[in-house]
């Protein structure tokens, strides 16, 4: 019987990633509903959204260093113990401070799980193999984006109890399942995958000095931030253009489904086209689609969603391969943690920048139009910097080169 960690695709790790993503994308809207039930103000709901990201900003880099020291297996086990506890905290929260604290703890568990899973799949693989495993790992995230809201919001509507309470109960049971399965995977990984002891100190500085590494972080973070803005402003665009709310949801679902398909097929694409061309071309295509979206009707927007979903869906797994192939195995966890921290930072900073620039650019149209156009500009800048970046790899040999 083939062991799970000896397969070309580590399905156990992909399953844990998908389960973690289901919890994340299901809990966020449910936590918002719970905050409303607790009479939270708009400012307090904003604090709740920030609480989920706080763990990533604070612990992504230390978590990566911990993975470099003790290996990803034990960290996956730790994360899978934290996640059910934090969901239980939200389920029993009778006050806003408890809800905020539970959201922060969940953010810690999520970031430890994600960085450990990314580090685990990268162990002892060539650059071409990384395309496949990171493609499938991020496909697991796409599954979570689709299934999470359905599990948390649609299924509980069929139950007789309160929708929010029922949704939290469903996710609590699901989190326990993910916790047990993830702990088993982590313990098996500890025995199956040896880890490289990391030297103490200096990991962050060494990573940032690698040629092209800051651009890789920027490319990843800008794409995530722009997709966040798309999720926020597409419903507003729909309302301004007489498009039904259900149709706006369908457009977002199309984008998610196409991203899933592009990630599953990433390894085949990378054999046909160089990774540099894929990253630069996909980001440029996404920039054009964002910029044109305000002037399109529903069917034109559907085409734009296909372009955005397919192109920008490739950037995350490709930048993971970029980062991992450019650093020594002993500091990969730190590099992935630093990448995650920069992602979260850009997800906070870029929307603030778009909001600040939007007011002086009133001639570009409505608020949604300005935000989408500015997102396109940010993607264009990211693509330009990626095209001009130096692309380095720690490993040698024709199969190890990232830029080929």
């Amino acid at each position: 019987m083939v062991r799970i960690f000896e397969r070309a695709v580590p399905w156990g790790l992909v399953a844990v990633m998908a389960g973690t993503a289901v919890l994340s994308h299901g809990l966020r809207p449910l936590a918002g509903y719970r905050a409303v039930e607790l009479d939270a103000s708009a400012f307090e709901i904003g604090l709740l959204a920030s609480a989920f990201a706080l763990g990533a900003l604070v612990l992504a880099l230390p978590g990566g260093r911990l993975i470099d020291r003790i290996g990803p297996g034990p960290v996956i086990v730790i994360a899978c113990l934290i996640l059910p506890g934090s969901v239980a905290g939200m389920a029993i929260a009778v006050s806003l401070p408890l809800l905020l604290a539970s959201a922060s703890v969940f953010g810690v568990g999520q970031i430890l799980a994600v960085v450990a899973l990314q580090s685990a799949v990268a162990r002892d693989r060539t650059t071409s193999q990384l395309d496949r495993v990171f493609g499938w790992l991020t496909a697991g995230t796409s599954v979570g984006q689709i299934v999470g809201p359905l599990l948390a919001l649609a299924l509980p509507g069929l139950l007789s109890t309160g929708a929010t309470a029922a949704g939290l109960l469903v996710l609590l049971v699901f989190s326990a399942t993910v916790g047990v399965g993830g702990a088993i995977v982590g313990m098996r990984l500890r025995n199956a995958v040896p880890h490289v002891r990391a030297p103490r100190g200096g990991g962050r500085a060494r990573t940032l000095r690698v040629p092209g590494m800051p651009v890789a972080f920027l490319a990843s973070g800008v794409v995530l931030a722009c997709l966040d803005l798309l999720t926020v402003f597409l419903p507003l665009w729909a309302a301004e253009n007489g498009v039904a709310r259900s149709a706006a949801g369908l457009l977002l679902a199309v984008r998610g489904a196409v991203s899933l398909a592009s990630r599953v097929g990433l390894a085949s694409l990378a054999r046909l086209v160089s990774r540099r061309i894929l990253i630069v071309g996909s980001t440029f295509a996404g920039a054009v689609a964002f910029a044109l979206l305000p002037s399109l009707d529903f069917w034109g927007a559907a085409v734009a969603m296909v372009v955005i979903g397919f192109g920008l869906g490739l950037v995350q797994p490709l930048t993971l391969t970029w980062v991992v192939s450019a650093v020594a195995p002993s500091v990969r966890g730190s590099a992935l943690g630093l990448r995650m921290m920069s992602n979260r930072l850009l997800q906070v900073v870029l929307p603030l920048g778009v909001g600040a620039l939007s007011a002086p650019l009133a001639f570009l149209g409505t608020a949604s139009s300005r935000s989408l156009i500015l997102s396109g500009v940010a993607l264009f800048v990211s693509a330009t910097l990626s095209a001009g970046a130096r692309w380095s790899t720690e490993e040698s040999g024709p199969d190890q080169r990232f830029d080929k």
Side-chain angles (χ1 to χ4, degrees):
M1 183 176 182
V2 181
R3 296 180 63 183
I4 192 169
F5 299 106
E6 295 173 346
R7 297 176 180 176
V9 178
W11 297 112
L13 298 175
V14 173
V16 176
M17 177 66 85
T20 303
V22 168
L23 289 174
S24 176
H25 292 279
L27 271 178
R28 290 172 189 271
L30 274 180
Y33 282 121
R34 184 67 182 129
V36 171
E37 293 173 355
L38 294 171
D39 297 321
S41 65
F43 174 73
E44 289 169 332
I45 292 175
L47 284 179
L48 178 63
S50 299
F52 280 101
L54 182 62
L57 285 173
V58 175
L59 290 178
L61 186 57
R65 290 172 177 164
L66 179 65
I67 292 165
D68 286 334
R69 288 199 296 270
I70 69 174
V75 177
I76 292 173
V77 174
I78 293 170
C80 289
L81 294 175
I82 292 174
L83 292 175
S86 61
V87 177
M90 291 190 200
I92 64 173
V94 294
S95 66
L96 188 64
L98 181 55
L99 189 64
L100 289 170
S102 299
S104 297
V105 173
F106 179 84
V108 171
Q110 182 197 19
I111 197 64
L112 289 177
V114 169
V115 176
L117 289 165
Q118 291 173 349
S119 179
V121 300
R123 300 278 163 155
D124 302 322
R125 285 187 166 87
T126 65
T127 302
S128 59
Q129 292 171 336
L130 289 174
D131 292 328
R132 180 180 299 277
V133 293
F134 280 139
W136 277 103
L137 197 68
T138 53
T141 301
S142 295
V143 170
Q145 291 171 347
I146 298 170
V147 175
L150 295 176
L151 190 64
L153 302 178
L155 178 61
L158 303 176
L159 305 178
S160 58
T161 56
T164 303
L168 288 169
L169 178 60
V170 169
L171 289 186
L172 179 58
V173 174
F174 185 79
S175 70
T177 304
V178 173
V180 172
I184 293 172
V185 168
M187 288 186 290
R188 291 189 63 182
L189 180 66
R190 181 179 182 181
N191 297 326
V193 181
H195 64 273
V196 181
R197 291 281 181 182
R200 293 183 177 273
R204 176 169 58 182
R206 287 198 304 273
T207 299
L208 290 175
R209 286 197 296 266
V210 172
M213 189 61 65
V215 178
F217 292 157
L218 179 70
S220 174
V222 166
V223 165
L224 284 177
C226 288
L227 291 176
D228 285 349
L229 286 166
L230 179 67
T231 302
V232 171
F233 283 102
L234 189 69
L236 180 57
W237 167 87
E240 292 168 349
N241 290 273
V243 176
R245 182 180 300 182
S246 58
L250 179 61
L251 289 174
L252 289 173
V254 167
R255 195 271 301 171
V258 175
S259 288
L260 174 60
S262 71
R263 289 168 172 179
V264 169
L266 173 59
S268 298
L269 283 172
R271 286 195 294 267
L272 299 174
V273 184
S274 78
R275 298 177 183 91
R276 179 193 288 268
I277 291 176
L278 283 175
I279 289 180
V280 175
S282 296
T283 309
F284 270 128
V288 173
F290 263 87
L292 292 179
L293 186 55
S295 62
L296 301 176
D297 59 10
F298 172 79
W299 294 109
V303 174
M305 290 299 105
V306 171
V307 173
I308 291 170
F310 189 88
L312 299 189
L314 294 173
V315 175
Q316 291 307 307
L318 283 170
T319 53
L320 280 167
T321 302
W322 187 353
V323 169
V324 167
S325 64
V327 299
S330 61
V331 294
R332 282 177 172 176
S334 297
L336 289 168
L338 189 58
R339 173 187 177 274
M340 186 64 69
M341 185 174 70
S342 69
N343 282 350
R344 294 295 183 265
L345 184 61
L346 280 165
Q347 284 177 285
V348 173
V349 172
L350 186 60
L352 292 177
V354 167
L357 291 173
S358 180
L361 299 176
F363 63 91
L364 291 177
T366 63
S368 66
S369 296
R370 296 195 298 270
S371 296
L372 292 170
I373 291 171
L374 287 172
S375 297
V377 172
L379 289 168
F380 181 85
V381 172
S382 175
T384 302
L385 291 174
S386 296
R390 290 178 59 193
W391 299 52
S392 174
T393 180
E394 179 71 22
E395 300 167 333
S396 60
D399 192 45
Q400 310 285 16
R401 287 187 53 80
F402 177 80
D403 182 23
K404 69 168 188 172

